[in-house]
Amino acid sequence: MKFTSVFDIIGPVMIGPSSSHTAGAARIGRVARDLFGRQPKWAKIHLYGSFAETFKGHGTDVAIVGGLLDFETFDERIKTAFEHAKNAGLEFDIIPETANKEHPNTARIVMGDEVSEMSVEGISIGGGKIEISEVNGFKLRLTGGMPAILVVHDDRAGCIANVANCLAMHHVNIGHMEVSRIERGQTALMVIEVDQNIDERILQQISLIPNITKVSKINN
């Protein structure tokens, strides 16, 4: 296994006890919040595999809730995230599941408010690193290690080119892109990892492109 830095081995600065079960869980929650675009009013947190078996001892549950509240992995408030969630008006359920997933440290967060809802599935791969593997039924691979844009759009010719041209116009370089669709001619999803954080005005311009239905971002 190749490590790119010492932090890949020892994990990030974090509230313990486990980089995969605590720091990784907090990051899954925080990325889910970023994708939703705001703090949800409610969340159902489904835990699988090792997450389901050891979440109380490792603090996986409080870590994910802390992430949904936008707490960093090193934020002391993670320890009392349940209390902070109550004060912030976030209702949540922790649901340990018995079904098998491809990765043992998997969480699926279904969240929403009076406007909309979203489901996000993520895995903690060790050392505090994560991958988002599914958003609203779309399979993808998003690490959260780079700034990223998620664009939901109608499956029409020209959508991908129009979004890429908009980013190029603002000198935003694309590092990686994935495109997926559930069914031909229906809803599709672009996942675009870029080299810098994206300004809100760029997101607004992308949202005005024909056949674009939703735009969200993850800042690094």
Side-chain angles (χ1 to χ4, degrees):
M1 182 179 294
K2 181 179 180 181
F3 297 100
T4 57
S5 76
V6 67
F7 295 105
D8 292 341
I9 304 173
I10 65 173
V13 177
M14 65 176 191
I15 302 301
S18 166
S19 63
S20 60
H21 286 68
T22 312
R27 284 182 169 167
I28 290 171
R30 196 159 186 254
V31 169
R33 175 198 169 105
D34 283 346
L35 292 174
F36 190 61
R38 56 196 178 276
Q39 180 187 294
K41 294 291 183 66
W42 57 267
K44 296 185 182 298
I45 301 167
H46 302 262
L47 303 176
Y48 298 86
S50 180
F51 270 4
E53 295 166 1
T54 64
F55 70 92
K56 290 183 179 179
H58 283 150
T60 304
D61 48 358
V62 292
I64 291 178
V65 171
L68 290 173
L69 294 171
D70 206 27
F71 296 168
E72 293 273 12
T73 57
F74 52 81
D75 195 319
E76 290 283 343
R77 292 176 295 174
I78 284 180
K79 297 176 181 178
T80 53
F82 288 176
E83 181 180 343
H84 288 289
K86 182 178 179 180
N87 294 336
L90 170 59
E91 298 181 357
F92 62 90
D93 292 313
I94 307 296
I95 307 168
E97 302 282 7
T98 57
N100 292 323
K101 289 285 186 177
E102 185 175 345
H103 194 282
N105 297 336
T106 298
R108 182 168 65 91
I109 303 170
V110 183
M111 60 196 156
D113 57 18
E114 62 278 0
V115 178
S116 64
E117 65 178 68
M118 173 181 282
S119 68
V120 175
E121 186 168 300
I123 61 176
S124 177
I125 59 177
K129 291 180 175 293
I130 68 165
E131 288 182 5
I132 300 300
S133 55
E134 184 177 311
V135 174
N136 283 352
F138 289 98
K139 300 293 184 181
L140 54 94
R141 184 174 179 269
L142 180 65
T143 65
M146 295 177 62
I149 310 167
L150 274 73
V151 182
V152 181
H153 60 98
D154 297 331
D155 186 22
R156 300 289 185 273
C159 279
I160 297 171
N162 288 337
V163 171
N165 287 337
C166 182
L167 293 174
M169 183 175 63
H170 291 283
H171 307 289
V172 176
N173 189 52
I174 296 173
H176 178 76
M177 174 186 275
E178 291 186 13
V179 181
S180 62
R181 62 187 181 186
I182 296 176
E183 187 177 342
R184 181 177 178 181
Q186 300 300 314
T187 303
L189 174 70
M190 292 180 234
V191 180
I192 308 169
E193 292 186 333
V194 295
D195 290 343
Q196 68 254 46
N197 288 330
I198 303 297
D199 190 270
E200 286 293 335
R201 62 190 177 89
I202 301 177
L203 296 184
Q204 291 173 4
Q205 288 184 21
I206 293 174
S207 69
L208 295 175
I209 294 173
N211 297 310
I212 302 298
T213 58
K214 182 178 175 61
V215 182
S216 56
K217 69 173 179 177
I218 300 173
N219 284 332
N220 195 16

